[in-house]
């Protein structure tokens, strides 16, 4: 039978329930607490699902209170007679099957999920109707992991995946991961379960706490668009729109609140229309502005290029290199993405301050925090800052930052005036800019390039020299961890799948990054806990792209926020290496507390309180082992590091996750 | 005007200053290196400079550290982003011990001897 949803009142609906079933409800209600009544609702199964016939009456389930359970099978037969064969047994296509048809059109390979009753019909359809393919469910142990997994995946795959989360509570967990993705302009489609019509909720119990009039309000300040369709046709339209909006640059998460009621029942009539997906073009800088920029660039004497959230694809990196070479300009990679090959002689990221001080023109590509990039700042109570570039330096920016902002969260940074601000996607505008530069007649760049190469050689020599200090120390030095790991993978097709901020960017300082996919930046919103999920998502995309070797260095604090990701990696057999940078602290914050204690001239030896993870020390190898991840450690002797890394990498090459716990220096 | 060194609150972004220590001067050291090591860690110096003074958020201080007086003078009135340590919390005697510890740190291996840094 099919509920007539047009019958809105409780009474009208009750009339639809056959009399025998009403009797059943009556019998149960006699001694029942509401929550159990909900659980005791007759099984609803598709025709091809045999399990309904074998359903165990609740009163035989251990732990269910006998006094309030439903009647036994015998009693039930006595009381209400045989249940009509057609009762709630759906043989046709359900609403949630149709939802899967819609999702099918969106080319989504994966859906990160942590189960919740508010989307139980959709989950069942994804598994049985959609056969758990495209999207394949990736089981997560916290919705924060689900969202960050989708975030990490999107940056490497350059396409979104779906995250399916429980109404209210699931979305609240996911919100941290969604915020990071928002700040990082990464696409994902978040589908949230809900039961909007209160008549559709079980009379008592969790469905009330997990339903909301406006679920998406929880994350609206940091998503690009949301909708709560109330019909299947509207669901189709909204899902397709959610993908279009999420993936149109600048990208960001979108949210669809999917009503469970819509999914549970058979399709009431003919299949609703599913619009085909429109792929929007990318906004680029206007020709006049690009020509004006080109003129300024070719006439600059000491041009510097800053690149931040710029490169998505290899074409983007190659064009940036071509532009820098054409102009003989140094590039400072601000590292929200890997923009410039780390050993290119024009990559002077670690000598940037000197170059900026002398610059007459600065070209900034996809700035994230431009003011921060152009100022020195002192973290003292006086908050002093100083502009690095000299007065009169001309600033040109190309980016999409102002195309997507919301009011509440302050992720846009301090306002930085710019002389020529060009709105348009950096990567897509680059070939046009390069063409305009060639038209404008660039000067011979060879002398400047030779001078910059000498500076780059000096910079690298100094970085490598700095890495030798503390080489044999225990706890093990961070540059040593990075150097050893980089050396073991250098001849393979590898990618770094974790941020580098807390490793002081030693991988970028030491390793030979040449491909855009080899590094995809950090959390976006600096929300710690991103790394475990995001590194799995990234590793999935690298695996799918052709068995790239995925390696990551992860903080103990970050891993402890979402240790359940270990299980997800083991369960789905995701090949990746996690090296735990185990400084037994939230070291970043410990330094902050130390700064305060020093300045307040008291208790300078007490800053371990609330900032360190000792007593007991956490055994990450055991933790990983308990969830099925191959592991080694704790490694305290630096000479034991290489063999452990070698063994772990072998496991990863065989297609499984591995973890090496390294007791390490703070920074 | 104050000399200002770039720092970020959360991240060490690409242009972290790469400060240099000066060579040790000739004055003959005093101070208890064992006690200095304890202080270097418990007073929080190691959080930013590493447990063997190899550097981290702050520059490397060892081997070949500045003389004790220069260290004392710097930590009382740092020029950049380092937080100040008053004499009431780190005495001159403590600094002498810290300097002694930093002097005891063995030399690092030669860059040329480490294949991991020469690929
Ligand atoms: C969700 C969240 N909570 C707290 C913080 C503050 N915070 C910034 S860095 C950090 C420490 C992270 O620990 P770990 O990953 O071990 O890195 P470490 O600094 O120790 O190298 C914390 C707690 C944050 N950024 N995000
Ligand atoms: Mg830590």
């Amino acid at each position: 039978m099919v509920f007539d949803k047009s019958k809105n009142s409780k009474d009208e609906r009750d009339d639809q329930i056959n009399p025998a079933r009403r009797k059943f409800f009556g019998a149960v209600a006699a001694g029942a607490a509401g929550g159990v009544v909900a659980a005791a609702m007759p099984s609803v199964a598709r025709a091809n699902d045999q399990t309904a016939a074998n359903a165990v009456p609740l009163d035989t389930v251990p732990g269910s209170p006998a006094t309030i359970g439903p009647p036994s099978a015998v009693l039930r037969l006595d009381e209400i007679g045989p249940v009509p064969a057609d009762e709630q047994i759906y043989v046709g296509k359900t609403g949630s099957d149709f939802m899967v048809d819609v999702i099918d059109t969106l080319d989504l390979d994966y859906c990160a999920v942590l189960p919740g009753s508010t989307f139980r019909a959709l989950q069942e359809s994804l598994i049985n109707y959609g056969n758990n393919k495209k999207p394949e469910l990736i089981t997560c142990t916290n919705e924060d992991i689900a969202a960050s997994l989708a975030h990490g995946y999107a940056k490497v795959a350059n396409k979104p995946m779906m995250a399916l989360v429980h109404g209210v509570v699931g979305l609240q967990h996911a919100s941290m991961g969604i915020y990071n993705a928002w700040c990082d302009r990464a696409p994902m489609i978040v589908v949230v379960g809900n039961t909007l019509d209160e008549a559709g909720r079980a009379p008592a119990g969790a469905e009330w706490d997990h339903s909301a009039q406006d679920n998406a309000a929880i994350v609206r300040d940091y998503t690009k668009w949301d909708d709560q369709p109330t019909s299947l046709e509207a669901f189709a339209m909204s899902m397709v729109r959610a993908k279009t909006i999420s993936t149109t640059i600048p990208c960001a998460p979108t949210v669809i609140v999917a009503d469970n009621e819509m999914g549970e029942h058979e399709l009431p009539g003919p299949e609703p229309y599913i619009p085909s997906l429109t792929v929007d073009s990318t906004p680029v800088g206007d020709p006049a502005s690009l020509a004006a920029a080109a003129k300024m660039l070719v006439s600059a004497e000491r041009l510097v290029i800053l690149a931040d959230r710029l490169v998505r694809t290899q074409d983007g990196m190659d064009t940036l290199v071509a532009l820098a070479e054409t102009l003989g300009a140094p590039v400072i990679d601000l590292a929200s993405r890997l923009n410039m090959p780390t050993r290119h002689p024009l990559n002077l990221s670690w000598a940037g301050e000197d170059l900026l001080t002398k610059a007459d023109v600065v070209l900034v590509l996809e700035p994230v925090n431009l003011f921060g990039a152009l100022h020195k700042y002192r973290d003292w109570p006086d908050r002093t800052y100083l502009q690095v570039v000299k007065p009169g330096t001309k600033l040109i920016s190309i980016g999409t930052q102002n195309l997507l902002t919301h009011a509440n969260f302050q992720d846009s940074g301090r306002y930085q005036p710019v002389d020529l601000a060009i709105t348009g996607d950096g990567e897509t505008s680059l070939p046009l800019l390069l063409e305009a530069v060639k038209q404008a007649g660039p000067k011979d760049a060879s002398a400047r390039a030779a001078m910059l190469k000498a500076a780059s050689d000096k910079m690298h020599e100094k970085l490598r020299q700095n890495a030798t200090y503390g080489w044999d120390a225990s706890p093990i030095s961070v540059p040593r961890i990075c150097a050893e790991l980089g050396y073991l993978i250098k001849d393979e097709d590898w990618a770094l799948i974790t941020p580098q901020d807390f490793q002081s960017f030693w991988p970028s300082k030491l390793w030979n990054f040449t491909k855009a996919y080899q590094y995809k930046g950090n959390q976006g919103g600096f929300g710690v806990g991103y790394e475990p999920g995001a590194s799995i998502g990234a590793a999935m995309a690298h695996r799918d792209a052709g068995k790239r070797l995925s390696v990551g260095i992860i903080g103990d604090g970050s891993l402890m926020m979402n240790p359940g990701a270990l299980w997800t990696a083991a369960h789905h057999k995701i090949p990746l290496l996690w090296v735990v940078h185990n400084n037994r602290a939230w070291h970043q914050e410990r330094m902050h507390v130390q700064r305060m204690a020093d300045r307040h001239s008291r208790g300078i030896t007490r800053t371990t309180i609330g900032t360190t993870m000792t007593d007991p020390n956490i055994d990450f190898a055991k933790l990983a082992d308990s969830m099925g991840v191959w592991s080694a450690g704790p490694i305290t002797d630096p000479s034991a590091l290489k063999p452990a890394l070698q063994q772990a990498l072998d496991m990863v090459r065989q297609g499984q996750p591995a973890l090496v716990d390294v007791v390490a220096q703070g920074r | 005007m104050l000399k200002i060194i770039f720092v970020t609150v959360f991240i060490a972004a690409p242009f972290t200053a790469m400060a240099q220590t000066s060579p040790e001067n000739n004055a003959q050291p005093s101070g208890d290196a064992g006690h200095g090591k304890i202080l270097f860690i418990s007073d929080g110096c190691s959080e930013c400079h590493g447990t063997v003074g190899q550097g981290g958020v702050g520059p490397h201080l060892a081997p070949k550290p500045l003389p004790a007086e220069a260290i004392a003078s710097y930590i009382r009135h740092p020029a950049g982003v380092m937080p100040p340590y008053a004499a009431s919390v780190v005495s001159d005697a403590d600094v002498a011990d810290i300097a002694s510890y930093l002097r005891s740190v063995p030399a690092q291996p030669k860059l040329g001897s480490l294949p991991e840094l020469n690929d």
Side-chain angles (χ1 to χ4, degrees):
Chain A
M1 86 177 262
V2 175
F3 272 97
D4 181 354
K5 298 270 285 184
S6 67
K7 302 204 162 144
N8 279 325
S9 80
K10 187 79 181 72
D11 284 348
E12 280 174 307
R13 285 217 176 163
D14 282 354
D15 288 340
Q16 293 181 274
I17 299 171
N18 70 38
R21 189 144 171 256
R22 296 185 121 209
K23 197 170 162 198
F24 163 74
F25 275 130
V28 174
V36 178
V37 175
M41 294 276 272
S43 306
V44 177
R46 304 256 326 271
N48 64 357
D49 183 345
Q50 298 306 308
T51 54
N54 308 326
V56 182
L58 259 196
D59 56 354
T60 67
V61 175
S64 73
T67 48
I68 55 168
S72 70
V74 175
L75 192 65
R76 181 187 155 113
L77 205 64
D78 278 357
E79 278 195 352
I80 62 177
V83 178
D86 69 339
E87 190 194 5
Q88 300 281 308
I89 307 286
Y90 294 154
V91 291
K93 194 166 181 170
T94 62
S96 50
D97 291 348
F98 173 75
M99 292 161 117
V100 172
D101 286 344
V102 173
I103 292 166
D104 228 29
T105 67
L106 302 180
D107 184 29
L108 301 170
D109 291 337
Y110 302 106
C111 170
V113 70
L114 189 149
S117 58
T118 49
F119 57 81
R120 62 187 186 173
L122 180 54
Q123 181 163 3
E124 191 271 338
S125 286
L126 284 165
I127 299 164
N128 286 326
Y129 178 76
N131 216 13
N132 196 28
K133 286 208 181 86
K134 237 175 172 307
E136 175 192 348
L137 296 185
I138 303 295
T139 317
C140 298
T141 62
N142 184 321
E143 293 85 351
D144 184 18
I145 299 175
S148 30
L149 191 150
H151 179 182
Y153 173 85
K155 285 196 281 183
V156 177
N158 281 318
K159 61 187 276 196
M161 54 179 274
M162 190 172 136
L164 182 54
V165 301
H166 202 13
V168 183
V169 285
L171 187 56
Q172 289 183 46
H173 263 174
S175 69
M176 174 72 263
I178 294 171
Y179 181 66
N180 273 331
W182 158 263
C183 293
D184 206 15
R185 299 295 182 265
M188 77 175 70
I189 299 163
V190 183
V191 176
V192 191
N194 196 32
T195 312
L196 185 60
D197 178 1
E198 64 177 61
R201 295 174 207 155
E207 272 175 41
W208 285 80
D209 303 280
H210 300 167
S211 297
Q213 288 160 266
D214 187 3
N215 250 298
I218 296 169
V219 294
R220 186 162 295 136
D221 278 330
Y222 39 94
T223 46
K224 199 171 171 187
W225 180 75
D226 65 79
D227 198 12
Q228 177 164 256
T230 53
S231 69
L232 288 167
E233 178 159 357
F235 175 83
M237 214 143 43
S238 297
M239 274 301 280
V240 175
R241 198 193 297 273
K243 170 142 185 200
T244 302
I245 292 179
S246 178
T247 53
T248 299
I249 285 167
C251 302
T254 50
V255 178
I256 295 298
V257 182
D259 205 86
N260 185 54
E261 278 286 281
M262 241 162 32
E264 290 209 0
H265 306 291
E266 245 169 345
L267 268 182
E271 295 210 11
Y273 158 71
I274 305 174
S276 61
L277 181 74
T278 307
V279 180
D280 289 21
S281 75
T282 301
V284 288
D286 66 282
S289 300
L290 290 173
K295 241 176 156 177
M296 290 163 75
L297 296 176
V298 296
S299 52
E301 293 297 327
R302 288 172 169 273
L303 170 66
V304 174
I305 300 175
L306 301 181
D308 208 346
R309 195 184 292 118
L310 174 69
V311 164
R312 287 184 301 277
T313 67
Q314 194 57 35
D315 281 351
M317 177 181 267
D318 294 345
T319 315
L320 175 63
V321 169
L323 182 73
E325 287 175 352
T326 306
L327 292 163
V331 176
I332 299 169
D333 195 334
L334 296 171
S336 288
R337 297 291 184 270
L338 177 69
N339 299 300
M340 189 72 179
T342 49
R343 292 189 187 171
H344 190 285
L346 291 174
N347 183 334
L348 280 126
S349 299
W350 310 103
E353 190 182 331
D354 186 44
L355 291 163
L356 279 174
T357 315
K358 295 174 187 145
D360 56 349
V361 177
V362 178
L363 169 66
V364 200
L365 299 167
E366 288 292 350
V368 174
N369 182 342
L370 184 50
F371 185 94
L374 296 176
H375 291 78
K376 295 181 192 181
Y377 159 66
R378 198 166 67 162
D379 186 20
W380 282 32
D382 59 12
R383 304 281 193 263
T384 331
Y385 60 83
L386 190 70
Q387 187 171 309
V388 179
V389 291
K390 56 182 192 276
T393 303
K394 293 282 177 237
L395 297 180
I396 307 167
S397 69
I398 305 178
T400 46
Q401 203 183 25
N402 290 342
L403 288 181
L404 184 60
T405 50
H406 287 344
N408 187 15
F409 291 93
Q410 299 292 306
D411 57 305
S412 48
R414 192 183 286 252
Y415 189 79
Q416 172 65 52
V418 168
D419 297 286
L420 177 55
I422 303 175
T423 298
D425 174 52
E427 176 168 311
T428 319
S429 301
L430 266 188
L432 305 175
L433 179 67
L434 179 58
E435 203 39 53
V437 163
K438 285 178 181 162
Q439 298 272 322
K443 297 191 275 255
D444 176 13
S446 50
R448 183 123 206 268
M451 189 270 286
L452 291 166
K453 180 177 183 321
S456 152
D457 290 346
K458 217 169 120 195
M459 174 187 82
H460 284 293
E461 174 75 11
K462 184 156 186 181
L463 290 169
R464 294 184 304 125
Q465 182 60 47
N466 278 350
T468 64
Y469 296 111
W471 186 259
D472 295 315
S474 176
I476 299 173
S477 99
V478 176
R480 177 158 186 177
I481 296 171
C482 300
E484 299 255 21
L485 178 58
Y487 193 66
L488 290 174
I489 60 174
K490 69 183 169 56
D491 298 325
E492 290 171 73
D493 186 11
W494 55 267
L496 178 66
I497 52 172
T498 45
Q500 308 180 50
D501 309 72
F502 295 156
Q503 290 73 44
S504 311
F505 287 90
W506 277 111
S508 274
K509 288 171 177 171
L510 298 176
W511 300 1
N512 188 16
F513 290 79
T514 56
K515 307 254 169 42
Y517 60 72
Q518 283 175 316
Y519 180 63
K520 286 289 177 179
N522 67 14
Q523 308 86 349
F526 298 116
V528 172
Y530 154 94
E531 294 80 356
S535 50
I536 294 176
M540 282 163 45
H542 286 308
R543 175 198 61 189
D544 296 353
K547 299 211 164 127
R548 296 174 195 147
L549 183 62
S550 293
V551 301
I553 304 169
I554 190 165
D556 50 339
S558 178
L559 186 51
M560 283 303 286
M561 280 205 187
N562 280 316
L566 292 164
W567 177 85
T568 296
H571 178 72
H572 290 283
K573 299 193 176 48
I574 311 297
L576 86 171
L577 170 64
W578 278 303
V579 177
V580 184
H581 172 191
N582 184 3
N583 49 29
R584 295 182 172 153
W586 295 278
H587 192 81
Q588 187 71 16
E589 306 310 295
R590 183 173 177 203
M591 291 188 290
H592 276 306
V593 178
Q594 190 71 45
R595 288 181 185 106
M596 290 300 105
D598 295 352
R599 185 162 304 284
H600 297 164
S601 292
R602 63 181 180 199
I604 61 165
T605 63
R606 291 163 56 80
T607 62
T608 51
I609 298 173
T611 62
T612 50
M613 281 173 276
T614 55
D615 191 20
N617 292 332
I618 296 160
D619 187 332
F620 287 97
K622 267 193 192 158
L623 179 71
D625 188 50
S626 78
M627 294 196 231
V629 172
W630 185 94
S631 63
I635 310 280
T636 51
D637 173 1
S639 64
L641 181 58
K642 184 171 289 168
L645 290 175
Q646 257 160 344
Q647 252 188 303
L649 285 166
D650 279 343
M651 294 298 148
V652 181
R653 290 183 191 109
Q654 287 165 32
Q656 55 167 306
L659 176 146
V660 178
D661 177 11
V662 185
V663 179
Q665 296 279 332
R667 284 287 174 270
Chain B
M1 191 189 150
L2 292 164
K3 185 185 161 208
I4 298 164
I5 305 265
F6 178 88
V7 73
T8 61
V9 183
F10 187 94
I11 53 164
F15 13 53
T16 309
M18 291 194 283
Q20 278 277 47
T21 51
S22 331
E24 188 180 9
N25 78 355
N26 299 329
Q28 256 327 295
S30 60
D32 174 345
H35 186 233
K37 179 177 182 178
I38 293 168
L39 290 174
F40 194 74
I41 291 167
S42 66
D43 289 354
C45 317
S46 65
E47 289 168 38
C48 300
H49 294 286
T51 59
V52 295
Q54 79 273 17
V57 167
H60 68 87
L61 303 176
K64 299 189 183 160
L66 294 168
E69 303 72 45
I71 295 177
S73 147
Y74 193 83
I75 70 171
R76 310 252 184 273
H77 305 285
V81 298
M82 178 173 147
Y85 283 85
S88 58
V89 289
V90 180
S91 67
D92 286 352
D94 285 349
V95 176
D97 290 351
I98 287 172
S100 174
Y101 165 58
L102 293 173
R103 272 192 302 271
S104 76
V105 171
Q108 76 279 16
K110 291 257 176 300
L111 177 56
S113 71
L114 300 171
E116 297 82 357
L117 292 175
N118 289 283
D119 72 285

